[in-house]
Amino acid sequence: MQIPNDAVLLRIFIGESDKWQHKPLYEAIVLKAREMHLAGATVLRGQMGFGKTSHLHTTKILRLSLDLPLVIEIVDSEEKINTFLPALDEMMGGGLVTLEKVKVLHYRAGETS
């Protein structure tokens, strides 16, 4: 095992129906992260959640099932994440953004057989 490296976890909480320049916000964020050569991004779709307004979003209520909560996670060096934040700020109309210091234990591309 390699020695852990210091990194930052950027976590972005948005709604599935959020848009930026007429496309899904989550897609715009992931594509921008890729364009800026961040290590990777993952979009997680939640089954239920609420935010600042306490408006409940859940798969159990049919009319709200098109606006489920999403979490986008990106891990990279603090420097690269800090470079990405102004672009993210431009795209975000609402939502929650958090940063956490993390230790990366293992990062490498999948090995082919």
Side-chain angles (χ1 to χ4, degrees):
M1 179 176 291
Q2 73 185 89
I3 297 172
N5 294 315
D6 292 330
V8 171
L9 167 62
L10 171 62
R11 193 174 281 141
I12 306 156
F13 298 81
I14 60 173
E16 191 173 28
S17 67
D18 292 342
K19 303 274 187 222
W20 189 71
Q21 295 185 345
H22 309 292
K23 68 173 135 180
L25 177 58
Y26 69 89
E27 183 179 312
I29 291 170
V30 169
L31 292 175
K32 186 58 146 177
R34 186 170 183 243
E35 176 187 314
M36 295 181 71
H37 305 287
L38 296 179
T42 301
V43 179
L44 307 166
R45 188 175 192 218
Q47 295 296 310
M48 178 183 258
F50 68 91
K52 186 175 181 180
T53 64
S54 294
H55 187 78
L56 192 61
H57 299 267
T58 177
T59 57
K60 292 182 180 184
I61 302 172
L62 185 59
R63 65 182 175 82
L64 297 178
S65 65
L66 299 177
D67 189 24
L68 291 171
L70 297 178
V71 178
I72 303 164
E73 293 189 338
I74 302 170
V75 177
D76 210 317
S77 69
E78 186 170 9
E79 179 183 341
K80 288 185 83 173
I81 293 293
N82 286 338
T83 300
F84 180 70
L85 290 176
L88 177 63
D89 188 50
E90 183 181 324
M91 290 186 257
M92 296 282 295
L96 174 68
V97 177
T98 64
L99 292 171
E100 298 176 43
K101 291 189 182 274
V102 295
K103 298 277 188 188
V104 175
L105 297 178
H106 180 73
Y107 177 71
R108 63 179 169 215
E111 297 175 15
T112 56
S113 302

